[in-house]
DNA sequence: TTGCATCGTCAATTATTATTAACATAAATC
DNA sequence: GATTTATGTTAATAATAATTGACGATGCAA
């Protein structure tokens, strides 16, 4: 009967792009149970909730820490990136309004029709990047955008995500991760 | 039947210095239920666990983030504090082996027979300090030490704690908190 | 000792969760 | 349009959590 849990589970499940039946199958519970939980008409045992979250995957601690909202601040269009360059060198700052970020850099190339795989990525930390050349489809928490040169992204890495080159030529991006993966 | 939860609840409850019956009364559940949970012979509903944790108080996210072990590294005796001073000024470093700490400072005086109150303190962040003068009784996670001049402490502030001057003269300490409370 | 209070545990019952197996709806395929 | 396949919901049942009320053990006081 405790509110919150059902709504949170539904938000998380849809963010991972799974149906109730798919999630139930992976978790080893029934689809009906997930339906009842999401309607807050039952309070699941922590054992059941752990099985369900493990199938996403997600930890209990993350589940009960609701900073999972994508909140619109995911995509930053090229024209909206503030120029903080000085002198001859030009820097365009991504997600300038978000404080307390810790970063490091990667240079990536996606050949046509390649992506980060069937399963959605999800891990701790934050990540962001800028498309330099070509066209990149970005999916975060169930929302999909197609980015062109100069467009950028920034999100919490716990949100399930996927990158895909949907264009005819290689796509190149400059990306940043935290904590540093390299 | 999922291990972990029972042991964690017992650790947390005893750290708060409560009996099963006391906690059950505050939480609005039965003492038998808490006994069964702690033995991992049932998997409580998240509603029940939330009621129990709310009575401590503790959040679900904190409960499932088990960095709650006091682990012996709570009390640092005067003779064990490494001297990192340079030149005329002497600094003795508390908890030198623990990385990633963020600090700020307080100067406190406890008159004889005063303490931080009946209810145990518990909040986010970390705190540490050094007794400068007098005698201070420190209780953390159910363990009690009496510290004299030069002795020091350091612990996660989520562990329930209490300070008390058990001596005949004022007790003075230098303490540090994070995040800065002043 | 004896009595009294508190502790944690446990069998039996009650209340709730979890499963089974259906249903209704909507979108895709023939 | 009819058929199939997927979606989320729900009544009835089975399985499990939660309560009740007891028990033995321990510590303290009379």
């Amino acid at each position: 009967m405790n509110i919150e849990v059902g709504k949170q589970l539904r938000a998380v499940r849809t963010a991972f792009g799974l149906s109730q039946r798919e999630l139930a199958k992976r978790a080893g519970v029934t689809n009906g149970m997930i339906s009842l939980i999401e309607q807050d008409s039952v309070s699941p045992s922590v054992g059941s909730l752990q099985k369900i979250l493990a199938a996403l995957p997600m930890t209990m601690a993350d589940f009960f820490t609701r900073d999972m909202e994508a909140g619109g601040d995911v995509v930053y269009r090229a024209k909206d990136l503030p120029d903080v360059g000085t002198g001859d060198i030009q820097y365009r700052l991504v997600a300038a309004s978000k404080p307390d970020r810790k970063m490091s850099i990667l240079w990536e190339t996606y050949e046509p029709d390649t992506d980060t795989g069937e399963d959605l990525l999800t891990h701790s930390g934050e990540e962001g990047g800028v498309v330099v050349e070509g066209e990149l489809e970005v999916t975060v928490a169930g929302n999909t955008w197609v980015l062109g040169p100069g467009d950028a992204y920034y999100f919490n890495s716990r949100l399930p995500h996927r990158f895909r080159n949907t264009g005819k030529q290689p796509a190149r991006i400059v990306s940043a991760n935290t904590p540093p993966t390299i």
Side-chain angles (χ1 to χ4, degrees), chain A:
Chain A
M1 322 305 194
N2 204 313
I3 205 167
E4 293 297 344
V5 171
K7 291 189 178 98
Q8 177 74 349
L9 179 57
R10 177 158 296 183
V12 167
R13 174 178 62 81
T14 56
F16 274 81
L18 297 177
S19 69
Q20 290 182 345
R21 281 181 163 84
E22 277 177 42
L23 178 55
K25 185 180 169 188
R26 296 191 191 184
V29 300
T30 59
N31 61 302
M33 190 66 241
I34 291 181
S35 175
L36 294 172
I37 294 171
E38 291 187 354
Q39 295 171 84
D40 281 312
S41 46
V42 298
S43 178
S45 73
V46 322
S48 296
L49 187 56
Q50 282 177 325
K51 284 199 292 184
I52 292 167
L53 295 183
L56 288 171
M58 173 173 288
T59 67
M60 292 287 278
D62 279 350
F63 182 83
F64 286 99
T65 304
R66 64 185 105 351
D67 58 352
M68 301 299 291
E69 293 81 31
D73 282 18
V74 172
V75 165
Y76 298 80
R77 295 293 170 188
K79 63 179 176 55
D80 298 330
L81 293 181
D83 185 352
V84 297
T86 59
D88 290 346
I89 307 176
Q90 187 186 63
Y91 299 101
R92 292 194 172 270
L93 182 57
V94 177
S97 60
K98 291 196 177 185
D100 299 334
R101 274 173 278 98
K102 305 128 193 170
M103 286 286 129
S104 63
I105 309 297
L106 284 177
W107 171 260
E108 305 181 33
T109 300
Y110 289 80
E111 295 299 328
D113 273 316
T114 62
D115 58 41
T116 52
E118 191 112 331
D119 292 329
L120 295 166
L121 302 173
T122 176
H123 46 90
S124 64
E126 305 179 2
E127 62 186 288
V130 179
V131 176
V132 174
E133 183 185 334
E135 182 178 295
L136 191 71
E137 181 192 85
V138 180
T139 301
V140 179
N143 301 311
T144 298
W145 297 267
V146 176
L147 305 188
D151 289 341
Y153 61 90
Y154 191 94
F155 54 84
N156 186 320
S157 301
R158 279 206 298 263
L159 295 168
H161 53 281
R162 178 183 194 179
F163 298 97
R164 179 157 52 167
N165 181 357
T166 52
K168 307 270 192 239
Q169 57 172 329
R172 292 182 215 286
I173 68 174
V174 177
S175 72
N177 295 279
T178 176
T181 51
I182 294 185

